[in-house]
Amino acid sequence: MAPGAMRTALTRTALTSLSDAQPVPYWLDDPGRPGALPALTGDEHCDLLVVGGGYSGLWTALLAKERDPGRDVVLIEGHEVGWAASGRNGGFCSASLTHGFANGLARWPGELHRLEELGERNLDAIEATVARHGIDCAFERTGEIDVATEPYQLDDLRALYEEATALGFTGLELLDRDAMRAEVDSPTFLGGLWDRRGVAMLHPAKLAWGLKQACLDLGVRIYENTRGLELARVRRRTGAAGAGAGAARAAGGGAAGAGMAVRTPYGRVFARRVALGTNVFPSLVRRVRPYTVPVYDYALMTEPLTDEQLSAIGWKNRQGLGDSANQFHYFRITPDHRILWGGYDAVYPYGGRLSAELDHRPETYRKLATHFFECFPQLAGLRFSHAWGGAIDTCSRFAAFFGTAYDGQVAYAAGYTGLGVGATRFGGEVMLDLLAGERTERTELEMVRSKPLPFPPEPVAWAGIGLTKWSLARADARGGRRNAWLRTMDRLGLGFDS
Ligand SMILES: Cc1cc2nc3c(=O)[nH]c(=O)nc-3n(C[C@H](O)[C@H](O)[C@H](O)COP(=O)(O)OP(=O)(O)OC[C@H]3O[C@@H](n4cnc5c(N)ncnc54)[C@H](O)[C@@H]3O)c2cc1C
């Protein structure tokens, strides 16, 4: 077939494949989705208030109870637990706390061994928690392969492998073209780098719902459809209801009679300490807001593959996959043999606008579907059952940042960019350390003590992000060569990613 005719056929295959796609996140479209718990009406008192019912908030609440079962913990969620990024991501649960090894090496070379070790322990702890609480989230420690689809990417993967090995990091395996295609077969694959233990695949929404149940089982009081509207210091005795000796311990000292209050639509929560796990949404601590921007990321889910379709691509070891361009795709297979295919476009809305409208982008779905069939031509005829998007909290260093406000009574963690499924548990630990005023192996880290550079106000943010995105796409088209703008950004330690 002539190239023009092939292109037309591919476009038609891609368009047809989208005709039945439901515009909802596949993971949330599940009969097991729990109903929302009642909203808060009236006043509540507690030792620790957690704001946000995604992984950040849920892990913080659960860990607080595990550290001290006597602590009185309340969690408020503005909508439903797990509806946002935590219920609509790719389900790649990585040990990396630094948005990947290369980013960690570039930013914190001196503490990379420590960060990698803490990350591995964090992933082990997630696996143990899932088992301990019987969380049915299809947790599979399959690892992830970074795939090269261009010769320069193969060179980059080899260089990364050699650098990691020279630094004493084991567990990576370099795959040549045949070895790669024996794992997952695509004519576009030239090789890969397999991190066998450092990543698990899971059902994201079921992890959030399972953590919610685990929190409830340990006595956390959860209010859904309860948005925190305002945070303020109050000079009154907190913890009047249900705060005993454990509560006093949990408070970790602090000014007697002083505490925090969060106003919600139908009531208030008075708390000795507050942990903010509000991700991309406007922080209740205003000065934290410029550190993140929302970046919309999109994904498609196919219908289940038939046995013949499955044998045409292999994928017996069920690893997560990601290609290695700046504009990358991530893809994985579910236990019932659907393929999730996401990424590539990373859309920044002017002014950092958040809106349900932006959760869908047919233009991106068309692009993603076309790329899917370029990658897997043997699956022509397969259809997508779901198409959706969601906002990622991108910060300029891609790895989470942490801090406190109100003399240590409030802690926050945000900026996980596109790799927060695993790292949010570590973020919960850090917030609890900070609220307790404790020096721990976590709080001593340079990564935890430092902050990323904030984003400038509009229209500078729009122009800078636009130029960066244009330059990244150009680098992908020019064998990875970075232009003067990207090299300057690299020197300043600034970037844009999803
Ligand atoms: C499409 C997509 C794909 C992704 N894929 C991956 C992946 O494969 N692997 C990976 O590691 N990461 C991935 N991520 C990122 C990952 O999902 C996030 O880093 C992680 O879920 C962040 O968890 P969170 O709890 O901080 O945020 P969220 O899940 O966004 O939760 C924050 C919660 O806080 C609530 N909230 C906000 N403000 C208030 C308030 N004032 N009062 C009450 N509640 C409030 C919100 O309603 C929300 O439920 C992806 C993200 C997206 C969008």
Side-chain angles (χ1 to χ4, degrees), residues 297-375:
D297 184 55
Y298 299 91
L300 304 174
M301 183 69 93
T302 71
E303 60 191 359
L305 272 63
T306 62
D307 290 348
E308 295 73 44
Q309 287 167 330
L310 194 58
S311 67
I313 55 167
W315 217 335
K316 292 203 178 59
N317 290 316
R318 312 175 50 72
Q319 313 90 334
L321 265 64
D323 52 38
S324 309
N326 291 307
Q327 289 187 291
F328 64 95
H329 304 91
Y330 54 89
F331 38 117
R332 51 143 322 165
I333 192 155
T334 64
D336 66 344
H337 303 147
R338 295 166 183 270
I339 298 177
L340 177 144
W341 177 264
Y344 195 76
D345 273 343
V347 177
Y348 169 66
Y350 186 87
R353 188 167 68 94
L354 286 167
S355 151
E357 240 174 76
L358 297 166
D359 285 347
H360 297 289
R361 198 161 189 266
E363 184 190 339
T364 296
Y365 299 154
R366 271 204 304 273
K367 218 183 280 180
L368 282 174
T370 307
H371 297 170
F372 178 84
F373 291 108
E374 275 169 359
C375 184

Side-chain angles (χ1 to χ4, degrees), residues 50-58 76-94 204 226-230 262 276-284 295-299 330 340 388-393 413-424:
V50 178
V51 184
Y55 302 139
S56 290
L58 293 163
I76 58 170
E77 160 53 46
H79 185 36
E80 273 182 43
V81 161
W83 77 276
S86 298
R88 57 184 68 214
N89 61 71
F92 287 58
C93 185
S94 173
T226 302
R227 177 157 296 279
L229 302 171
E230 195 186 9
V262 170
L276 301 177
T278 52
N279 194 31
V280 74
F281 301 93
S283 177
L284 290 174
V295 171
Y296 278 82
D297 184 55
Y298 299 91
Y330 54 89
L340 177 144
W388 72 96
I392 283 178
D393 63 332
Y416 294 95
T417 313
L419 212 62
V421 174
T424 41

Side-chain angles (χ1 to χ4, degrees), residues 115-399:
L115 287 165
E116 288 285 307
E117 189 212 321
L118 285 167
E120 274 166 36
R121 270 164 45 195
N122 188 56
L123 183 56
D124 289 345
I126 293 173
E127 185 168 14
T129 307
V130 163
R132 194 166 61 249
H133 289 278
I135 298 176
D136 174 22
C137 65
F139 186 100
E140 287 183 278
R141 202 139 170 183
T142 58
E144 179 181 350
I145 305 181
D146 289 340
V147 179
T149 55
E150 297 285 342
Y152 79 88
Q153 294 170 7
L154 207 51
D155 295 342
D156 289 352
L157 289 183
R158 192 173 299 115
L160 186 64
Y161 169 78
E162 281 164 7
E163 195 160 14
T165 309
L167 288 170
F169 294 102
T170 53
L172 295 178
E173 188 179 331
L174 204 54
L175 306 177
D176 65 14
R177 181 179 168 281
D178 289 347
M180 180 64 234
R181 290 188 59 173
E183 288 301 324
V184 184
D185 196 9
S186 160
T188 65
F189 293 171
L190 304 180
L193 185 61
W194 187 358
D195 176 356
R196 281 181 175 268
R197 288 287 300 160
V199 184
M201 294 293 123
L202 52 76
H203 186 304
K206 286 188 179 173
L207 175 63
W209 299 333
L211 289 173
K212 172 184 175 182
Q213 189 55 51
C215 284
L216 292 170
D217 291 346
L218 294 193
V220 177
R221 300 195 294 290
I222 299 180
Y223 298 95
E224 291 178 84
N225 292 307
T226 302
R227 177 157 296 279
L229 302 171
E230 195 186 9
L231 172 71
R233 202 196 300 265
V234 284
R235 299 209 59 78
R236 53 170 289 172
R237 191 139 201 100
T238 59
R249 259 199 329 276
M260 301 303 303
V262 170
R263 185 168 64 80
T264 74
Y266 307 125
R268 290 168 302 177
V269 188
F270 296 95
R272 291 171 195 268
R273 297 285 184 268
V274 178
L276 301 177
T278 52
N279 194 31
V280 74
F281 301 93
S283 177
L284 290 174
V285 175
R286 286 192 83 85
R287 66 179 149 84
V288 178
R289 295 182 188 177
Y291 289 110
T292 60
V293 291
V295 171
Y296 278 82
D297 184 55
Y298 299 91
L300 304 174
M301 183 69 93
T302 71
E303 60 191 359
L305 272 63
T306 62
D307 290 348
E308 295 73 44
Q309 287 167 330
L310 194 58
S311 67
I313 55 167
W315 217 335
K316 292 203 178 59
N317 290 316
R318 312 175 50 72
Q319 313 90 334
L321 265 64
D323 52 38
S324 309
N326 291 307
Q327 289 187 291
F328 64 95
H329 304 91
Y330 54 89
F331 38 117
R332 51 143 322 165
I333 192 155
T334 64
D336 66 344
H337 303 147
R338 295 166 183 270
I339 298 177
L340 177 144
W341 177 264
Y344 195 76
D345 273 343
V347 177
Y348 169 66
Y350 186 87
R353 188 167 68 94
L354 286 167
S355 151
E357 240 174 76
L358 297 166
D359 285 347
H360 297 289
R361 198 161 189 266
E363 184 190 339
T364 296
Y365 299 154
R366 271 204 304 273
K367 218 183 280 180
L368 282 174
T370 307
H371 297 170
F372 178 84
F373 291 108
E374 275 169 359
C375 184
F376 295 122
Q378 61 277 53
L379 298 181
L382 188 66
R383 286 167 174 270
F384 294 101
S385 61
H386 296 76
W388 72 96
I392 283 178
D393 63 332
T394 289
C395 75
S396 60
R397 69 181 199 185
F398 319 144

Side-chain angles (χ1 to χ4, degrees), residues 56 60 122 400 402 412-413 416 422-432:
S56 290
T60 308
N122 188 56
F402 314 88
Y412 55 84
Y416 294 95
T424 41
R425 182 189 174 282
F426 176 82
E429 294 267 32
V430 172
M431 283 199 278
L432 293 174

